[in-house]
């Protein structure tokens, strides 16, 4: 960062406190989370967003898109493992899985732990995210190496519109916040396309913001999902220290068909550690945490609980 003028610094890199990155956004007004920067490793501008990788003092390497932290080496497991295993451990023998977004490869890494799965499709809009992750986050991007994976670079909304009905057992939507290229992934027509692409009793898990910051957005997502998904509709959450407010939520829904009880896993990944030989052991997810993730604080339960199963 030495030698750069304030107007040359990437978004979030402070000219007021030199050597620190601060995540500032209208999505969380009046607050910012900061990390000390040891070195900027990559700066780029794709067709969709700015992409930055830096070495932090305490969280390892950090991936930032448009000034917003997407992952850090230290705590990425809390997000990647939960968004993948909450849905996949809730159904027996998932075979066909679609990931929308997730260009860093972390969700692919976790999905590939499930031996029953035969085909994993991923549609990521920004090829630069994929390339940068492979170079700077190989332990995350290892998910791309699985032979069951097929990568599509393109718009996830358009991809799902073209997907044949009842194609997938599970769809995982690893989106950034509902601004910029990810905005459509939070809207009702997208959820309708998701429901169409799922088999009866199929499941979806989508990133669903923070109960501390975005109850209005969450309330709207829950309302839309209740209208579209005629099986089960539930909200879960986990802790991720470097995400705004330190928590992130997930919307989990199933289509009409075989009953899915998201709160009680039927396909426990932590009972079989054969996947650990190649990918390393699970760092965060376990069956107890799975069930606990659906327990909501009272203020959130009053809003979300009245709208879900």
């Amino acid at each position: 960062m030495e030698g750069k003028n304030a107007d040359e610094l990437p978004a979030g890199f402070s000219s007021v406190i030199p050597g620190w990155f601060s995540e500032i956004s209208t999505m969380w007004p009046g607050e910012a989370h900061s990390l000390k920067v040891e070195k900027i490793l990559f700066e780029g501008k794709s067709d969709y967003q700015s992409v930055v990788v830096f070495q932090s003092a305490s969280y390892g390497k950090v991936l930032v898109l448009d000034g917003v932290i997407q992952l850090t080496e230290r705590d990425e497991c809390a997000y990647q493992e939960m968004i993948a295993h909450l849905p996949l451990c809730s159904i027996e023998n998932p075979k066909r899985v679609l990931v929308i977004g997730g260009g860093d490869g972390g969700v692919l890494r976790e999905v590939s732990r499930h031996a029953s799965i035969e085909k994993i499709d991923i549609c990521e809009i920004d090829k630069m995210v994929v390339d940068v992750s492979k170079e700077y986050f190989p332990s995350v991007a290892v998910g791309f190496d699985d032979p069951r994976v097929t990568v599509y670079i393109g718009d996830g909304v358009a991809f799902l519109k073209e997907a044949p009905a009842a194609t997938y057992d599970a769809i995982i939507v690893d989106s950034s916040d509902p601004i910029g290229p990810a905005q459509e992934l939070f809207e009702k027509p997208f959820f309708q396309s998701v429901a169409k692409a799922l088999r009866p009793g199929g499941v979806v898990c989508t990133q669903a913001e923070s109960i501390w910051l975005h109850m209005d957005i969450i309330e709207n997502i829950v309302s839309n999902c209740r209208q579209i998904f005629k099986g089960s509709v539930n909200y879960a959450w986990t802790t991720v220290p470097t995400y705004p407010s330190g928590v992130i939520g997930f919307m989990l829904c199933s289509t009409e068909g075989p009953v899915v009880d998201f709160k009680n896993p039927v396909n426990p990944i932590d009972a079989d550690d054969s996947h650990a030989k190649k990918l390393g052991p699970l760092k965060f997810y376990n069956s107890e945490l799975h069930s606990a993730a659906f327990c909501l604080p009272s203020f959130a339960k009053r809003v979300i609980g009245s709208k879900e199963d």
Side-chain angles (χ1 to χ4, degrees), residues 181-196:
Q183 184 171 348
E184 286 186 280
L185 303 182
F186 288 78
E187 296 174 351
K188 193 171 180 179
F190 176 74
F191 289 122
Q192 290 170 331
S193 295
V194 168
K196 177 181 73 73

Side-chain angles (χ1 to χ4, degrees), residues 120 151 158 193 205 277:
I120 309 169
V151 180
S193 295
C205 182
K277 294 182 180 71

Side-chain angles (χ1 to χ4, degrees), residues 1-9 18:
M1 292 177 66
E2 293 180 3
K4 289 202 170 191
N5 297 322
D7 57 356
E8 295 177 317
L9 293 172

Side-chain angles (χ1 to χ4, degrees), residues 80 96-111 119-127 129-130 133-134 140-146 148-157 159-160 168 170-175:
Q80 317 276 22
R96 298 175 66 89
V97 177
L98 170 64
V99 179
I100 298 291
D104 54 69
V107 173
L108 292 179
R109 180 192 66 201
E110 296 308 316
V111 171
K119 183 171 177 57
I120 309 169
D121 292 337
I122 179 170
C123 185
E124 161 63 46
I125 196 168
D126 196 340
K127 187 175 183 296
V129 174
V130 176
S133 296
K134 287 180 177 180
V140 179
V142 65
F144 287 105
D145 297 337
D146 193 288
R148 295 169 292 177
V149 171
T150 303
V151 180
Y152 300 89
I153 300 298
D155 179 8
V157 175
F159 184 90
L160 264 177
Y168 297 103
I171 296 174
I172 299 170
V173 186
D174 179 13
S175 66

Side-chain angles (χ1 to χ4, degrees), residues 83-252:
I83 198 173
H85 302 312
L86 286 175
L88 294 178
C89 292
S90 297
I91 56 175
E92 295 183 357
N93 298 313
K95 296 185 183 302
R96 298 175 66 89
V97 177
L98 170 64
V99 179
I100 298 291
D104 54 69
V107 173
L108 292 179
R109 180 192 66 201
E110 296 308 316
V111 171
S112 69
R113 293 183 188 272
H114 292 262
S116 67
I117 293 174
E118 299 171 354
K119 183 171 177 57
I120 309 169
D121 292 337
I122 179 170
C123 185
E124 161 63 46
I125 196 168
D126 196 340
K127 187 175 183 296
M128 183 179 287
V129 174
V130 176
D131 294 339
V132 167
S133 296
K134 287 180 177 180
E135 182 171 355
Y136 293 98
F137 300 91
S139 65
V140 179
V142 65
F144 287 105
D145 297 337
D146 193 288
R148 295 169 292 177
V149 171
T150 303
V151 180
Y152 300 89
I153 300 298
D155 179 8
V157 175
F159 184 90
L160 264 177
K161 283 180 181 178
E162 299 299 320
T167 298
Y168 297 103
D169 299 300
I171 296 174
I172 299 170
V173 186
D174 179 13
S175 66
S176 50
D177 295 310
I179 51 177
Q183 184 171 348
E184 286 186 280
L185 303 182
F186 288 78
E187 296 174 351
K188 193 171 180 179
F190 176 74
F191 289 122
Q192 290 170 331
S193 295
V194 168
K196 177 181 73 73
L198 286 170
R199 62 149 170 93
V203 297
V204 59
C205 182
T206 182
Q207 187 273 108
E209 300 302 320
S210 166
I211 55 175
W212 289 109
L213 300 172
H214 306 121
M215 285 305 301
D216 55 336
I217 296 174
I218 294 168
E219 187 174 8
N220 186 54
I221 294 172
V222 172
S223 179
N224 285 338
C225 288
R226 290 291 292 161
Q227 295 175 48
I228 294 164
F229 295 97
K230 301 307 180 182
S232 181
V233 175
N234 289 271
Y235 187 88
W237 59 300
T238 190
T239 63
V240 184
T242 55
Y243 283 177
S245 79
V247 304
I248 194 73
F250 309 105
M251 202 74 226
L252 289 116

